[in-house]
Amino acid sequence: MDTVKQFDKQTFDALLSKAAQSERRRANLNVHASYEDVVQRLFIAMMPDSYVRPHRHTQTHKWEFFMAVEGKLTLILFDDNGTVTKRVMLDATGDCRGLEIPPNVWHATVCEAPVVFMEVKQGPYEVTDDKGFAPWAPPEGSEDVPLFLQHLKAVKEGQSAAVINDATE
């Protein structure tokens, strides 16, 4: 018999604590049983200094859905050259709480304060084929990340986020 899963404030507080202690400054709690599941469901806690390299999901069936659970999260959408096409703030207590991103759309997430959000996406999860990273953004761990993350938080629609042109994966 399947077990009913409950997600309460204690769950999210523990996830935020785990993210704060993580080197990547984020942590996830998978709701799905396996990476083979056809729908992947997870909660993600993220700190303001966590860097999610702009990426897209190139498989034609790989959409993503995000919903703010606690706090605020900004999703930034880009064109192929790194120009910001849209900024959407998800706010757990505001007007816009969720967003679905279709396949092949460049995007990144940034936050100003600790946040918990839910991500739902098409499975199965294939680690080697999940993301195509933006060549105009520094790879995770690069010394350029702090400056680039600061730029991402400030860049406006119509402006370029591509401050680094020779980034490698």
Side-chain angles (χ1 to χ4, degrees):
M1 181 172 167
D2 290 331
T3 304
V4 172
K5 297 177 183 177
Q6 182 173 324
F7 307 99
D8 54 22
K9 181 153 178 44
Q10 287 180 325
T11 302
F12 300 134
D13 287 348
L15 193 58
L16 283 165
S17 178
K18 187 176 177 183
Q21 296 170 26
S22 164
E23 184 178 330
R24 296 177 78 201
R25 307 292 286 156
R26 61 183 180 270
N28 65 291
L29 170 63
N30 292 351
V31 177
H32 53 276
S34 161
Y35 288 140
E36 302 303 316
D37 288 1
V38 295
V39 178
Q40 304 286 297
R41 305 166 320 278
L42 57 149
F43 292 100
I44 300 170
M46 193 163 106
M47 298 290 118
D49 56 345
S50 180
Y51 173 61
V52 177
R53 185 177 181 185
H55 63 279
R56 64 180 173 183
H57 304 277
T58 57
Q59 295 175 335
T60 58
H61 63 287
K62 295 284 185 164
W63 47 265
E64 282 185 297
F65 174 81
F66 296 88
M67 178 164 274
V69 176
E70 287 187 5
K72 299 175 186 176
L73 174 75
T74 300
L75 280 110
I76 307 171
L77 310 179
F78 310 90
D79 68 12
D80 288 341
N81 299 315
T83 298
V84 175
T85 59
K86 191 168 188 72
R87 291 180 66 95
V88 179
M89 179 176 287
L90 305 183
D91 183 341
T93 61
D95 288 338
C96 184
R97 298 176 190 200
L99 176 75
E100 185 172 281
I101 300 175
N104 248 337
V105 174
W106 293 108
H107 61 282
T109 54
V110 295
C111 62
E112 299 297 329
V115 65
V116 177
F117 59 99
M118 182 169 208
E119 181 177 325
V120 179
K121 58 186 174 182
Q122 185 74 34
Y125 175 73
E126 300 151 5
V127 70
T128 59
D129 197 26
D130 182 58
K131 295 179 181 140
F133 291 106
W136 39 262
E140 209 173 308
S142 165
E143 65 184 26
D144 297 319
V145 165
L147 183 60
F148 186 76
L149 181 58
Q150 182 180 354
H151 179 63
L152 274 184
K153 289 182 178 190
V155 68
K156 305 215 181 317
E157 290 180 16
Q159 294 180 333
S160 178
V163 294
I164 298 164
N165 297 316
D166 297 321
T168 58
E169 290 191 35

